[in-house]
Amino acid sequence: MSVPEISPAYEVVSDGAATPIEFTFRGKRFRIHAVLSRWCEAGGWWNRVSDGIYRPDDGARALWTVEAAPIGALNTFQLERDEITGSWIVKQV
């Protein structure tokens, strides 16, 4: 099994509701053709369980697995958005 290549997304275009529709990866512009899955992960939940104190920087993330392509063949990527900062990470899978 190969390790996914991870790259910070310098530009992700969303539809206004935080759903990504285009992104840049390794200098190329990709258009999302299909969302294969979408889910949220709550980071640091164990901190809230152990002491009951909510921390807004607990690392919550929204993730999408998508098929996207520049001109050419489709590729599969995972896009991850930090729920606190709004920053994006792109992983080729």
Side-chain angles (χ1 to χ4, degrees):
M1 177 188 261
S2 65
V3 176
E5 180 179 344
I6 300 172
S7 173
Y10 297 106
E11 184 180 7
V12 174
V13 177
S14 66
D15 65 0
T19 299
I21 56 175
E22 291 184 353
F23 60 92
T24 303
F25 184 75
R26 285 196 270 164
K28 291 183 183 177
R29 191 89 182 135
F30 286 81
R31 177 81 175 168
I32 295 172
H33 292 272
V35 175
L36 303 177
S37 63
R38 187 206 183 286
W39 69 98
C40 293
E41 294 180 356
W45 56 267
W46 52 90
N47 289 328
R48 293 188 304 272
V49 171
S50 65
D51 64 13
I53 300 171
Y54 172 72
R55 294 172 182 81
D57 61 345
D58 70 354
R61 304 225 179 253
L63 297 97
W64 291 261
T65 301
V66 301
E67 286 184 332
I71 298 172
L74 286 175
N75 295 288
T76 303
F77 296 88
Q78 184 176 58
L79 281 69
E80 180 176 319
R81 184 174 63 88
D82 184 291
E83 293 292 303
I84 302 300
T85 67
S87 63
W88 291 88
I89 293 174
V90 176
K91 301 175 186 177
Q92 187 171 13
V93 292

